[in-house]
Amino acid sequence: MQNEDPVLQTLLPVTHDLGGFQVHRTLPHKLRTMVGPFVFFDQMGPAHLPQGEGIDVRPHPHIALSTVTYLFDGAIDHRDSLGTVQTIGVGAVNLMTAGKGIVHSERSPVTERAKGPPLSGIQTWLALPDGREDIDPAFEHVAAQALPVFGDSGARATVIMGTLWGQTSPVTAHAPTIYADIALEAGGQVPIDADADERALYLVDGDATIDGRPLSKTALVVLRPGFVATLRSAGGGRVMLAGGGAFATPRHVWWNFVSSSPERIRQARADWTAGRFATVPGDPDYIPIPPVPNTVSYP
């Protein structure tokens, strides 16, 4: 018999004001580092930046992870050390696999800045599995129209990664992964199956309940393993579903680096400090490595 409460944990965000927009971060969290392969979960905005301005995330490095960018509004220019130049728009997916090391930047397109660009979306990092942490870096862009959609009972769910509701996304998944954008009409509902080891729900906007338990905006709600539940909305809402297979080996996270090995993170820190990472063509700026405070545990 199922436990009456479908929720295992509720992870409240750390919110940062980045000058014109807010970022709500629920992973990594002091209570939990991962949900399936997801080791980082940020909601950007929603915001409308001042005319003539935009976001400018200077070149910075990653190892042993994949970044997934998914926008609700706005656009971002991605550039990386492989020579990739790609603008991502609403509903598309940018998947950048760092593997043994990659550098990238993210900036508002010049064409969007004059009018004051909107910005709203989710950025996640997915840890690469054991034995694949040092694969070659790669980048892929999947257009919005290429993502499969499940629709039933007042719900429309876009499958971003993995297989859900009989639909399989073309986006590469290096480890067992589920990731979906669920739009619920007033009175809409959708089943949340228990196929994945670990699952979490994130209410982006509106209202939603999981088996009658209300979800709170900007909180990542981790579901109890094996619990089959129903997601519903009274007035309409938007919810992200994320998760996948549980990792047997813990992951360490420091700055932009993720690894099963603390020593690998130390090496990446030394490599970035010494300028041994590849550079981003056409974007010579960079973010310096942050100091390691004595009060912080460093892998």
Side-chain angles (χ1 to χ4, degrees):
M1 182 177 178
Q2 290 195 154
N3 188 302
E4 291 183 359
D5 187 353
V7 175
L8 178 66
Q9 285 177 306
T10 298
L11 307 180
L12 300 178
V14 174
T15 299
H16 300 279
D17 191 321
L18 299 185
F21 69 99
Q22 289 187 326
V23 171
H24 306 286
R25 179 166 301 162
T26 46
L27 283 177
H29 195 280
K30 62 182 179 181
L31 299 179
R32 188 183 188 106
T33 303
M34 303 177 71
V35 178
F38 289 81
V39 73
F40 179 96
F41 196 103
D42 265 11
Q43 180 184 358
M44 307 175 292
H48 206 107
L49 303 179
Q51 290 184 348
E53 297 185 15
I55 63 165
D56 284 293
V57 181
R58 294 171 290 162
H60 57 280
H62 292 288
I63 60 166
L65 58 82
S66 293
T67 66
V68 182
T69 303
Y70 184 79
L71 298 180
F72 307 134
D73 197 6
I76 294 175
D77 279 346
H78 165 96
R79 288 180 170 82
D80 64 40
S81 51
L82 299 176
T84 308
V85 179
Q86 176 68 57
T87 299
I88 181 174
V90 175
V93 175
N94 271 6
L95 176 79
M96 184 187 75
T97 299
K100 59 188 177 185
I102 200 169
V103 179
H104 76 132
S105 65
E106 296 165 297
R107 302 181 186 272
S108 296
V110 173
T111 53
E112 298 287 317
R113 292 177 185 251
K115 63 184 179 182
L119 179 66
S120 180
I122 302 288
Q123 283 201 318
T124 58
W125 298 352
L126 280 67
L128 294 176
D130 293 348
R132 294 184 60 80
E133 291 183 276
D134 285 325
I135 60 175
D136 289 337
F139 177 86
E140 67 182 66
H141 174 85
V142 178
Q145 59 268 29
L147 298 176
V149 174
F150 167 82
D152 189 32
S153 302
R156 185 180 188 275
T158 299
V159 181
I160 301 169
M161 296 183 75
T163 298
L164 288 160
W165 307 291
Q167 305 289 328
T168 299
S169 168
V171 177
T172 298
H174 295 284
T177 304
I178 57 169
Y179 193 25
D181 173 11
I182 305 169
L184 296 164
E185 299 174 5
Q189 64 179 44
V190 67
I192 304 298
D193 295 330
D195 294 342
D197 294 339
E198 299 178 346
R199 302 159 298 155
L201 297 169
Y202 184 89
L203 178 62
V204 176
D205 201 7
D207 72 86
T209 62
I210 185 72
D211 273 17
R213 175 164 174 167
L215 303 182
S216 298
K217 284 181 66 175
T218 72
L220 191 68
V221 175
V222 182
L223 301 182
R224 198 172 297 280
F227 199 106
V228 178
T230 301
L231 182 69
R232 295 183 172 90
S233 179
R238 186 173 207 161
V239 179
M240 305 300 289
L241 168 64
F247 273 41
T249 307
R251 290 299 185 265
H252 303 278
V253 182
W254 186 83
W255 193 43
N256 298 313
F257 303 136
V258 171
S259 179
S260 60
S261 165
E263 180 53 42
R264 180 68 183 92
I265 291 179
R266 294 189 189 98
Q267 183 61 56
R269 174 185 169 84
D271 289 343
W272 184 246
T273 302
R276 289 190 286 265
F277 275 85
T279 58
V280 177
D283 199 343
D285 204 354
Y286 69 97
I287 299 177
I289 200 108
V292 182
N294 292 333
T295 56
V296 174
S297 175
Y298 174 57

